[in-house]
Structure formats: structure tokens, C-alpha cells
Amino acid sequence: LIAAFVETVAVQCGYCTPGMIMTSKAYMNSPIREKAAAAIAGNLCRCTGYAKIIEAVTSCRKGERKCKTPSKA
């Protein structure tokens, strides 16, 4: 998932990135997978405009790239 953010240039200043990653991970495990934009709506990003973030998350969900989420320790 983090690699998808980097590859799609979904990170800019890095301020919102931790929250976006955590929200996106929860979204990927959610039964409601059709609403990526709604899933990250609570996180504010002033740099990317959300399009690249949504692209990163949906590309993982569609299996376009191998995205691993951290396992529970």
C-alpha cells in the first residue's frame, strides 16, 4: 500500500500520509469497497487533490499491483 502511494505520487508534503495510509488500510479490509473517496473523506489533504490517493488505493484493491498490508504483531 505504501509503495502504491509512492508509485502513483499520492504523497506530497507527507503531513496527511500517515492518516491516509491507516484509513486506506481499513478501507481495503472493509466489505464496502466501492467508496474509496468516502472512506478517506475524514482526512484533509491540501497538496494532491485526492485523485492520486484514490488511484493508489483502488489500484491495490483491483490487484493492479501487489499491495501488502502490515500483519498484526
Side-chain angles (χ1 to χ4, degrees):
L1 183 57
I2 294 170
F5 269 64
V6 173
E7 291 171 11
T8 60
V9 192
V11 294
Q12 296 271 326
C13 74
Y15 185 78
C16 72
T17 305
M20 291 292 184
I21 295 289
M22 296 301 291
T23 303
S24 298
K25 183 200 178 301
Y27 158 77
M28 291 178 69
N29 294 334
S30 170
I32 304 169
R33 295 179 175 246
E34 309 311 320
K35 300 180 181 181
I40 61 169
N43 294 328
L44 300 177
C45 176
R46 296 176 58 180
C47 299
T48 66
Y50 301 98
K52 295 291 184 178
I53 295 169
I54 294 169
E55 179 184 340
V57 176
T58 56
S59 70
C60 281
R61 189 174 48 83
K62 291 178 184 175
E64 293 174 8
R65 57 174 53 92
K66 292 182 180 180
C67 296
K68 296 179 182 177
T69 56
S71 59
K72 293 181 181 179

